[in-house]
Amino acid sequence: MERKRFTLIILLITSALPLLSQTGTPKEPVAYIGGEICNPRLHEGGFRYAIGTENVQVLRANRTHPEEAEDHGWTYNHAPNITYWRGRFYLEYLSNPSDEHQPPGQTLLVTSDDGRHWSKPIVAFPPYKAPKGVTFPKPYYGYIMHQRMGFYTAPDGRLLLLAFYGHSYDPFKEGGIGRVVREIYPDGTLGPIYFIRYSSHTTWDASNTSYPFYTQSKDKGFRKACEALLADRLKTLQWIDEDRGLDGFYTLKDSINRVQATNYFHRSDGKVVALWKWSYAALSTDEGQTWSTPVRVPSLIMAGGKQWGQRTRDGRYAICYNPIETQPYRYPLVTITSDDGIRFDSMCVVHGEVPPRRFFGENKDFGPCYVRGITEGEQQPQDQNMWLTYSVNKEDIWVARVPLPVRTIWQGAVDDHFEGITPHATVPNWNLYRPRWADVFVDGHSLCLTDSDRYDYARAIRVFEQGRRVDIQLSMKVVAEGDEPFEIDVTDRHGERMLSLSLSKGTISSQQKPLATYRLNEWIDIHLKLDTDNCTFSCFGLTLPALHAVKSVERLSLRTGAWRNLPDRNTPNQDKQPPLPQCDERGTPSMYQVKYLQVNTLR
């Protein structure tokens, strides 16, 4: 019997060896070995959080008060790119009035000194106006922007800004006009617009387009920067799905009509990994001169949203994407990490919120998607963070600051006071969700959560050591309150709530049972004792049943609005609806302050 069991084990190991040995090869350039899968019931996907991540809303679309946004009132905003140059962050994104691939379209640019507070957008590439006498080729009826690449820092340090002009509905192949470029000067102003490459599928050239070719520039340094970019096989591979290179421009030959949205990084063994939508990947051993055949990586579960991979400043690697195959539901946004750039695990949440989509639009998928970071070879901020940008519901633009190394587990007690934190600086170890109209910040020696957004909320999450018996002490104050309750949740590692306290109109309640009262501008001391074995918790001298039975708990959530699970995977994406009522108007402002948080895990 023992011999048979031993033989079976040997057979199992032997049968698995081919699968193990192919990881890292052209057959499987990278792999996710963590095994966790997304829970579609939860916006967070049921994953742990990347501890300390800060989500910052760069742009909140506003149709009726465009001065609150980008001055145009356009509500389709998508495909952001980000870089860092000369001590400042730059972020570009494309914008249409309401729908994907429907004209007119333009590209806007925002900047930030710290990545956490952003300027008002300016137009970087305006809606395209064809030269007199040039008509739309059928079946197109207008021009839009499209971009897979945003920035390039030349060998001499110049920064180029890029985007792509195409025709409505289909900016690819015959629908594309060409890629445009302009320089960003050190003072933040922009140089003239030029074409740097025309689509190889059509007959566009300097005689029938609205901007000159870059070779016509009188700036020798600018022309040299453009030529350096055109010669960079890795950077220009980002362009391939907008123009498949019928003229032989690209070295990736066998991917016609397959790969989309190129991203690349160098593994620890020196090989270059290229990543694309729909889980595709390939390898190059000669800096992009040749490539292996792109293959779908079965362990990277994703749909049509972009994926992003990079080597992080701590010497490790990360890949970010939406771990779900069903369109049009692109949430949550997660990251997986690796020591060698080959085998990745520890899937965790970067952005787990899905607010209501305020404006209907064609192909406006729900959730945070089309993630991009700072491209390899560009300047990097001198901090220990991974910086990412993405859109939410394809109408608002966001940035995430992910502290490195990426951590998901906290060990030891929590004793957080906020006296030593500079006002409005980063808050160590807290996960902050910061919409433009619902902010989280430190001020006056306390953590402040404010909210005037009718359809979103501010949120602060503190991960603590996982346990079955946990003691939590929190001191907070309600300064002003609007129509939404303030909620305190304690959850397990999957986001399942063991308890939820609600503060509203002077009453603290749990599952609609009143527990205590409070007054505005008076400190409230909340002491929670949780026992997951007995499915109970105590608070204000009462022992209460748990909201949900969980095996253990590991995070505290503070939120300026009610818990939400909509939209979900059944919410229709293409049902035409009017804008959500008063979504462009601020609601009654609320404000809450937290003086300290102490958490001790007893077992």
Side-chain angles (χ1 to χ4, degrees):
M1 184 69 181
E2 290 298 325
R3 178 174 294 179
K4 289 182 179 180
R5 184 177 298 149
F6 178 77
T7 302
L8 178 60
I9 292 172
I10 294 297
L11 288 173
L12 290 172
I13 294 174
T14 303
S15 64
L17 284 176
L19 297 175
L20 295 172
S21 62
Q22 77 177 8
T23 302
T25 71
K27 293 182 179 180
E28 189 183 47
V30 295
Y32 170 59
I33 62 173
E36 288 193 277
I37 59 174
C38 184
N39 180 351
R41 186 174 63 86
L42 300 172
H43 287 173
E44 302 160 335
F47 302 112
R48 284 188 158 119
Y49 273 72
I51 293 176
T53 295
E54 183 176 18
N55 305 113
V56 180
Q57 190 176 56
V58 175
L59 171 87
R60 185 189 190 277
N62 194 313
R63 182 170 292 170
T64 57
H65 298 289
E67 69 279 1
E68 292 269 9
E70 82 305 349
D71 288 329
H72 297 273
W74 293 8
T75 56
Y76 178 88
N77 302 292
H78 194 39
N81 292 284
I82 189 171
T83 198
Y84 185 80
W85 184 68
R86 290 177 171 253
R88 175 174 287 189
F89 290 90
Y90 291 83
L91 186 156
E92 72 158 16
Y93 64 95
L94 60 79
S95 184
N96 299 344
S98 61
D99 302 278
E100 183 171 72
H101 290 182
Q102 293 193 31
Q106 61 186 351
T107 291
L108 296 110
L109 180 70
V110 292
T111 63
S112 172
D113 291 331
D114 61 4
R116 304 174 58 248
H117 305 88
W118 290 84
S119 68
K120 191 170 184 176
I122 63 171
V123 175
F125 294 102
Y128 187 81
K129 295 182 179 179
K132 186 176 181 180
V134 176
T135 58
F136 297 109
K138 293 181 179 180
Y140 313 114
Y141 66 94
Y143 301 100
I144 61 170
M145 295 301 303
H146 197 270
Q147 55 233 31
R148 299 300 199 202
M149 175 186 179
F151 302 94
Y152 173 72
T153 302
D156 68 353
R158 292 179 184 237
L159 180 63
L160 303 184
L161 178 67
L162 298 107
F164 187 83
Y165 279 116
H167 288 106
S168 58
Y169 282 107
D170 184 10
F172 307 100
K173 296 183 182 178
E174 294 85 354
I177 301 173
R179 194 164 312 277
V180 281
V181 61
R182 66 192 308 183
E183 185 173 352
I184 300 178
Y185 298 128
D187 64 358
T189 59
L190 304 177
I193 299 174
Y194 296 90
F195 275 98
I196 189 172
R197 177 172 165 80
Y198 302 110
S199 172
S200 64
H201 296 262
T202 57
T203 57
W204 299 110
D205 57 32
S207 68
N208 55 14
T209 51
S210 295
Y211 301 110
F213 201 54
Y214 80 93
T215 55
Q216 299 302 306
S217 171
K218 296 180 180 180
D219 186 336
K220 182 178 179 181
F222 173 75
R223 298 197 307 270
K224 188 175 180 180
C226 291
E227 289 162 1
L229 171 57
L230 289 167
D232 191 321
R233 294 297 188 186
L234 294 177
K235 289 287 196 298
T236 56
L237 190 61
Q238 297 173 94
W239 306 351
I240 191 170
D241 51 323
E242 292 164 320
D243 165 25
R244 292 292 176 177
L246 300 184
D247 56 357
F249 182 76
Y250 303 105
T251 56
L252 190 66
K253 301 297 184 184
D254 55 356
S255 61
I256 303 300
N257 300 322
R258 185 183 304 175
V259 299
Q260 298 181 50
T262 305
N263 159 234
Y264 69 89
F265 64 88
H266 284 75
R267 291 190 328 201
S268 60
D269 60 7
K271 296 178 182 179
V272 183
V273 179
L275 301 174
W276 296 282
K277 291 183 178 184
W278 302 102
S279 310
Y280 278 100
L283 287 179
S284 175
T285 59
D286 54 12
E287 296 299 306
Q289 298 302 313
T290 59
W291 291 92
S292 64
T293 301
V295 295
R296 294 194 74 171
V297 178
S299 57
L300 294 181
I301 298 174
M302 66 185 69
K306 294 177 181 177
Q307 59 170 316
W308 173 262
Q310 69 171 81
R311 186 168 190 174
T312 50
R313 289 187 62 83
D314 59 347
R316 303 186 75 239
Y317 297 83
I319 297 177
C320 308
Y321 59 102
N322 304 117
I324 192 75
E325 289 182 309
T326 55
Q327 301 252 64
Y329 311 102
R330 295 178 177 178
Y331 57 84
L333 179 62
V334 303
T335 186
I336 53 179
T337 54
S338 170
D339 290 324
D340 59 10
I342 300 173
R343 295 172 179 85
F344 290 77
D345 61 7
S346 300
M347 184 175 290
C348 56
V349 175
V350 169
H351 187 115
E353 297 290 342
V354 188
R357 185 183 63 191
R358 303 187 304 280
F359 304 96
F360 171 80
E362 185 169 344
N363 296 326
K364 288 186 67 179
D365 301 332
F366 298 120
C369 68
Y370 262 48
V371 60
R372 278 293 179 259
I374 299 175
T375 304
E376 187 177 274
E378 302 296 295
Q379 294 180 22
Q380 299 282 337
Q382 296 302 308
D383 58 25
Q384 286 298 307
N385 299 299
M386 174 170 62
W387 290 91
L388 304 168
T389 185
Y390 46 93
S391 69
V392 172
N393 298 337
K394 294 189 180 181
E395 68 185 20
D396 302 323
I397 304 298
W398 286 75
V399 159
R401 180 187 60 84
V402 185
L404 301 171
V406 176
R407 298 177 299 151
T408 59
I409 297 175
W410 184 267
Q411 293 182 329
V414 170
D415 187 8
D416 288 349
H417 299 259
F418 305 99
E419 294 91 342
I421 298 178
T422 302
H424 297 273
T426 58
V427 185
N429 305 316
W430 283 76
N431 289 65
L432 305 182
Y433 176 72
R434 299 178 49 216
R436 300 274 300 187
W437 290 0
D439 205 359
V440 186
F441 55 90
V442 169
D443 193 20
H445 310 302
S446 63
L447 181 69
C448 303
L449 293 87
T450 64
D451 190 354
S452 60
D453 196 317
R454 300 173 187 272
Y455 293 99
D456 212 346
Y457 48 59
R459 192 179 187 190
I461 295 172
R462 184 59 161 95
V463 177
F464 53 82
E465 184 172 338
Q466 184 179 20
R468 304 195 310 275
R469 293 178 59 239
V470 177
D471 187 283
I472 300 174
Q473 296 185 59
L474 170 74
S475 182
M476 65 167 292
K477 178 167 60 176
V478 180
V479 179
E481 55 186 344
D483 299 326
E484 285 287 306
F486 182 85
E487 293 192 345
I488 303 172
D489 296 341
V490 180
T491 80
D492 70 356
R493 58 160 300 182
H494 301 292
E496 198 70 72
R497 295 174 296 161
M498 180 185 177
L499 69 86
S500 180
L501 299 183
S502 175
L503 283 72
S504 179
K505 309 303 180 184
T507 300
I508 303 174
S509 59
S510 173
Q511 301 183 57
Q512 299 182 338
K513 175 182 175 63
L515 306 179
T517 60
Y518 64 88
R519 294 181 179 178
L520 295 182
N521 289 303
E522 291 185 1
W523 290 104
I524 311 163
D525 294 325
I526 299 174
H527 189 182
L528 301 169
K529 293 184 177 181
L530 295 85
D531 187 337
T532 62
D533 292 342
N534 293 323
C535 293
T536 61
F537 70 95
S538 65
C539 182
F540 299 109
L542 301 172
T543 299
L544 302 163
L547 178 63
H548 297 289
V550 297
K551 294 181 179 179
S552 61
V553 290
E554 68 167 37
R555 61 182 182 253
L556 174 84
S557 168
L558 308 175
R559 189 176 51 240
T560 63
W563 181 85
R564 64 191 175 203
N565 62 350
L566 295 175
D568 63 18
R569 306 292 180 186
N570 297 314
T571 302
N573 183 48
Q574 290 301 297
D575 281 2
K576 288 191 176 182
Q577 299 174 345
L580 297 182
Q582 293 187 292
C583 65
D584 288 341
E585 309 290 340
R586 295 176 188 262
T588 303
S590 60
M591 182 175 182
Y592 308 87
Q593 294 180 332
V594 178
K595 182 162 54 175
Y596 67 80
L597 172 68
Q598 295 175 332
V599 184
N600 287 284
T601 300
L602 306 179
R603 72 174 187 206

